[in-house]
Amino acid sequence: MDWLDHIRWDKDGLVPVIAQEASTGDVLMFAWMNREALAKTAKVGQAVYYSRSRRKLWHKGEESGHFQVVHEIRLDCDQDVVLLKITQQGHEPGIACHTGRHSCFFERLEGGQWVAVDPVLKDPGTIYR
């Protein structure tokens, strides 16, 4: 798979990945992939990330049912960041964040403090198995 050789992996063999909703352009989350995760993502058409804390592959939605269907895989000009254009499944609107929100980027800096500005769409306690 020489297309994987074009990526500038970091010293740990990882590349940062941004998941962007294809229909709205919303940035839903940031994660990491290793070679295996990116190859599997391309093969199965669903996002598979690498969990640095668990040190293993993480098929997004495996516990929550909120899978990410991948429409495009893009590489930035420096070849060190991957962009996935996805459709977030499992809820309408899609829930990408483990907090039950649409996007992981739900806090905004206001007056020197972080304020949650996006609602919880579903209680996380009811999402995960």
Side-chain angles (χ1 to χ4, degrees):
M1 289 192 210
D2 66 28
W3 61 273
L4 290 168
D5 294 334
H6 291 281
I7 295 169
R8 292 180 50 208
W9 305 95
D10 74 6
K11 64 180 175 36
D12 297 318
L14 302 175
V15 66
V17 182
I18 299 165
Q20 180 183 38
E21 193 168 49
S23 63
T24 65
D26 290 348
V27 174
L28 299 184
M29 56 177 281
F30 169 87
W32 296 91
M33 286 184 176
N34 61 10
R35 289 177 74 93
E36 183 182 4
L38 185 52
K40 191 166 187 174
T41 295
K43 182 178 180 181
V44 302
Q46 291 186 339
V48 178
Y49 300 104
Y50 180 78
S51 171
R52 295 181 305 165
S53 60
R54 290 179 265 165
R55 298 181 187 263
K56 68 175 194 164
L57 294 186
W58 157 45
H59 189 155
K60 176 70 171 159
E62 66 190 355
E63 293 182 19
S64 66
H66 298 166
F67 295 98
Q68 293 178 341
V69 176
V70 177
H71 302 288
E72 292 182 40
I73 301 173
R74 295 187 178 212
L75 187 60
D76 80 324
C77 59
D78 293 323
Q79 300 173 324
D80 61 359
V81 177
V82 170
L83 172 69
L84 300 181
K85 293 203 174 208
I86 60 103
T87 297
Q88 183 67 55
Q89 296 187 320
H91 189 273
E92 188 55 42
I95 295 174
C97 186
H98 75 281
T99 66
R101 291 176 172 87
H102 179 60
S103 171
C104 294
F105 297 95
F106 61 87
E107 291 186 291
R108 181 171 57 212
L109 185 62
E110 294 182 0
Q113 295 186 22
W114 292 107
V115 178
V117 294
D118 295 335
V120 173
L121 301 173
K122 191 170 183 182
D123 177 2
T126 65
I127 295 173
Y128 298 96
R129 303 178 219 162

